[in-house]
Amino acid sequence: MIALASPEIGCVTGSPHHYGPETLAQVARNSPTIVDGLGAAKRLRLKLVFKPVLKTPDEIRALGLEANRDSHCAGLVLWIQTFSPSKMGIGGLTALRKPFVHLHPQFNRDLPWATIDMDFVNLHQSAHGDRGAGFRHTRLRLNRKVLHGRWQDPEVQDRLATGMRAARAWHDTQGAKFARFGDTMRQVAGTEGDKVSAEIRFGYAVNGDGVGDFVKWVDAVSETAITGPTADDESRDTVAKALRRGGDRHDSWRAGARQGIEPVVINADTRLAEFKQTLRNNEVYSYLAPGRRA
């Protein structure tokens, strides 16, 4: 198993410059408060990083291009605190090649009825600005996750964590290479339509490799590299008798381990729906311990 570096998610706040420096300064204080609060809740899967408030189309486009170049950035969270002319974000979003979540909460949970004035109203217009942003995203046909509710709400935080997991999965596959053995064509576009579509859509390559190459890699695996993991599995999990050392299927288990195939563990904690999904996607041979039912 390769331990991949953990990427980050940038938190971007939009607010037009015509509100003046005082309002923009307050926005610049509120946005880090949300970022710090979400981080302190310990429910997110990736680190959320505050980005400076964006006030013009050029700033938005520059940040989108920067996010594309940053290999440590898995995506963005967008929040619009004030009424924001959403059209100014079109250039940046059409340039952006990373996934994003549209966070759509008000900064405050309650309205200060005793002191509310137009300055407060101008500052806290997420309901207006985020509706405009939602219209923009829909017109641009952008895939995204939209989160409504209070940012302090654990349910909202958990849904944001789910979006981060999806962004992490997308990030980790970018530039990945998957080998398929037995193909007669290598790097040929016209005869491998599904592979071409996958690389266009998902950003990873599925390439044909010769079976002879695969055999060389398998033969190069040492006996020690196989014995260690299989012994560990036997000590940790309930392994069927046929697969244990001395069993009539133990050599099959070792052959699979030599090829990098990990065993599917079936025990009392296994969820049937998850195992069925594994069966749909893989050719799995399962050996159930006595008394278990699939």
Side-chain angles (χ1 to χ4, degrees):
M1 180 69 70
I2 299 175
L4 299 173
S6 182
E8 298 175 344
I9 302 291
C11 184
V12 182
T13 306
S15 183
H17 63 84
H18 60 248
Y19 279 111
E22 185 177 344
T23 297
L24 293 176
Q26 184 61 54
V27 173
R29 289 191 292 269
N30 289 352
S31 187
T33 299
I34 293 180
V35 172
D36 293 343
L38 290 172
K42 305 296 185 183
R43 304 179 82 92
L44 303 186
R45 300 306 180 96
L46 297 175
K47 183 179 180 180
L48 190 61
V49 180
F50 167 72
K51 298 292 183 180
V53 177
L54 303 179
K55 306 173 291 298
T56 67
D58 289 343
E59 291 178 358
I60 296 173
R61 180 175 175 79
L63 185 128
L65 295 174
E66 177 190 339
N68 293 342
R69 292 190 297 267
D70 186 356
S71 61
H72 202 51
C73 173
L76 300 175
V77 172
L78 308 184
W79 179 53
I80 296 87
Q81 179 171 5
T82 61
F83 170 70
S84 179
S86 293
K87 193 168 73 66
M88 71 181 190
I90 291 175
L93 287 170
T94 52
L96 182 66
R97 294 293 179 265
K98 300 284 179 82
F100 72 92
V101 170
H102 179 195
L103 187 62
H104 188 179
Q106 293 283 3
F107 178 72
N108 295 316
R109 188 190 68 176
D110 303 313
L111 288 174
W113 294 109
T115 59
I116 191 170
D117 56 18
M118 284 307 299
D119 288 338
F120 182 92
V121 172
N122 282 331
L123 178 62
H124 300 87
Q125 291 199 59
S126 293
H128 196 167
D130 282 309
R131 277 200 300 269
F135 172 77
R136 173 188 64 200
H137 302 157
T138 301
R139 286 294 305 274
L140 292 173
R141 302 294 190 268
L142 297 175
N143 292 325
R144 76 278 187 192
K145 186 176 184 67
V146 183
L147 296 182
H148 300 274
R150 294 187 293 111
W151 56 269
Q152 302 95 329
D153 189 335
E155 181 181 354
V156 172
Q157 295 167 1
D158 288 344
R159 290 168 61 201
L160 178 56
T162 299
M164 286 183 168
R165 290 179 62 190
R168 169 69 186 269
W170 178 89
H171 177 270
D172 288 348
T173 60
Q174 299 311 291
K177 296 178 178 64
F178 295 85
R180 201 170 84 167
F181 296 97
D183 285 2
T184 58
M185 297 289 183
R186 302 191 184 191
Q187 303 289 3
V188 176
T191 59
E192 299 181 323
D194 287 343
K195 297 178 184 179
V196 171
S197 298
E199 190 161 354
I200 292 171
R201 181 67 180 84
F202 299 113
Y204 57 73
V206 180
N207 299 314
D209 287 271
V211 175
D213 294 334
F214 179 62
V215 172
K216 286 192 299 183
W217 296 330
V218 171
D219 288 344
V221 178
S222 68
E223 291 296 316
T224 303
I226 301 170
T227 302
T230 55
D232 289 343
D233 287 334
E234 284 193 48
S235 65
R236 286 196 307 265
D237 304 310
T238 302
V239 177
K241 185 178 180 180
L243 291 179
R244 290 180 171 273
R245 278 169 290 184
D248 59 1
R249 300 297 296 176
H250 185 67
D251 288 343
S252 296
W253 187 11
R254 290 179 65 84
R258 185 180 292 278
Q259 299 173 45
I261 300 173
E262 297 183 3
V264 176
V265 178
I266 305 171
N267 55 30
D269 297 324
T270 301
R271 296 178 59 183
L272 183 58
E274 294 173 351
F275 182 61
K276 284 183 175 179
Q277 186 62 43
T278 302
L279 290 175
R280 293 188 190 102
N281 296 334
N282 302 279
E283 191 173 328
V284 177
Y285 294 92
S286 60
Y287 296 88
L288 303 181
R292 302 296 184 195
R293 295 290 184 268

